[in-house]
Every structure is written in structure tokens, then in C-alpha cells.
Amino acid sequence: MEIPDYLIDFHRTARRQGPGSDASTRRALDALPNAAGVGTILDLGCGTGRQTLVLAHETDAQITAVDILRPFLDELEARAAGEGVAERITTWEASMDDLGLDGCSFDLLWAEGSAYTVGVENALRLWRPLVAPGGAVVVSDLCWLTDSRPDEVDDYWAQGYPDITTINGRLRSFGPAGYECTAHFVLPPEGWTDEYYTPIRQRSADFLRAHGGDADVAAFLDSGLEEARLYDRFGDYYSYVYFVLRPRE
């Protein structure tokens, strides 16, 4: 599917392309059983690399950052140079289900809010050969926080992310995929609001004016604002959850 230029332009200049926070990236890193021994990291679906930069500052690892969009990778390279960590970050333009990294292995695979694009269980099976012995995987995924919720929010995410499940449902899926979960936690609300939706609200009007009120751009921006309004009303029912996984031998 061809991705419109306006979508790339809107997200390329953003701090983040989805909910998350530096504190949550650090918390997941701290939960690794072998954090001190991580020498190589594969950051999958990195976007413009907010979490990539945190990982670079918090570890001494060599990082390979993967995304399907070259403009995002170019932005990451510029940001990494500005923060003095460019020599430890290599960008790789590829799809997460066709990486072209056969024969490579990494101490840590990292996927914040990205594995859903190829299916979490499918992604974990595909990525298993890339995990070095003793290595780990960190994924964050959208999960229900309750067993029941209002029809409006249930219907919205059933259409937007049909694979959404409860935290326990996601935990149960890791065993058949060949992993054990050693830690998990929920992204706090500010990872949605301060880090993601507030900037979207601040940028949308100017972005639409810069594109002359184009109808396609307006529809794209409205979808993001609708999602933000949904979170305002129903954010107690869902969130991203970070999972720290260890492959089973």
C-alpha cells in the first residue's frame, strides 16, 4: 500500500509516531535480566527513533534501526548526529516481515508499538532466529485493560486493530510463539496525552493550512483527532503494554 506524502510529512517532524515515553523505554530496559550484557540491539519499526535514541544513551550497544520509510530513517540519522550517537546507530530500510537479515543475531530485539503491523505472534515467530543465545525481546502492544467496556470503544478498536486482546490474552499467546514473559507493565496515561495526542492537536490546524485545506489531509487529521477524543473518554479501558520476553530454548 502506498503511503501518502502528507502522512509521512506530518509524522516525520513529530517527537513520536505513536504513544510511548522515554521513562517507559527505560523501565522496559531496566527490566531485562541481562541489560548490562546487551551489545547489539535491533529496533524494529523504529520510526524517527525516539526510543532508538534513548536506547543509545542508556546502553553502549550497536543499534540497527529498521523502518520501511526512508524519510523517517533520514530523520533518525539527523537526530542521532545531533545527540552525538550516530556512530552506534545503523539504519536499515526494510519491512518487519522481510528484513533481509538472515544469519544475523542480536542481544535485544525492540519493537515499541510496531509489531501489530505484521501480527504480534507472527512477528515473534519470524524474529526468533534473530535473537542471540541468552537474548531478549521487548514489544509493546495495544491491550484491553478490562474484560468488558462500552460498545463504542469496543467497536472502534475491533475495526482499527482486530487482534487486540486483554493483557492476559496477550500473555497466553507468548507460549505458543516460543517465548516466556519475564515482566510487563502498562504505559501511563501521559504516554498517550503529553507525548502523542497533545502534539497532534497542536500541529493539526497549521498542517492543514499549509496544505491548503486539502480534503484528504483534512480527513487524515480528523481521524487522528477522533482517536484522541476517544482516548479522552475511554482511556481507562485500553493502553499499550510493554512485555519483556525471553525465547524458550
Side-chain angles (χ1 to χ4, degrees), residues 74-232:
D74 291 342
E75 186 70 23
L76 169 55
E77 289 175 359
R79 295 181 187 186
E83 296 190 22
V85 293
E87 74 282 356
R88 290 195 290 110
I89 297 175
T90 300
T91 60
W92 185 259
E93 184 180 352
S95 174
M96 290 187 294
D97 59 356
D98 187 17
L99 290 167
L101 293 171
D102 297 342
C104 299
S105 64
F106 301 84
D107 297 323
L108 175 60
L109 272 61
W110 199 276
E112 281 198 39
S114 59
Y116 80 95
T117 60
V118 295
V120 174
E121 293 174 58
N122 178 53
L124 291 173
R125 291 189 179 97
L126 288 173
W127 300 342
R128 176 63 183 85
L130 298 172
V131 185
V137 179
V138 171
V139 297
S140 66
D141 186 45
L142 186 68
C143 292
W144 294 121
L145 303 180
T146 60
D147 290 327
S148 61
R149 50 257 156 204
D151 289 342
E152 183 177 349
V153 66
D154 199 72
D155 292 344
Y156 180 91
W157 284 116
Q159 294 181 44
Y161 181 31
D163 198 36
I164 189 172
T165 184
T166 62
I167 296 174
N168 284 335
R170 185 56 68 211
L171 288 168
R172 286 192 295 269
S173 75
F174 295 137
Y179 294 81
E180 174 189 1
C181 182
T182 60
H184 69 278
F185 63 89
V186 176
L187 175 68
E190 57 268 23
W192 291 80
T193 54
D194 299 352
E195 294 283 342
Y196 187 56
Y197 288 138
T198 295
I200 283 178
R201 285 169 162 143
Q202 292 171 341
R203 301 194 325 271
S204 289
D206 287 344
F207 190 83
L208 182 58
R209 280 193 293 270
H211 285 77
D214 181 88
D216 289 338
V217 174
F220 158 68
L221 295 171
D222 284 346
S223 69
L225 295 171
E226 178 189 3
E227 184 182 308
R229 290 189 292 269
L230 189 86
Y231 186 81
D232 289 341

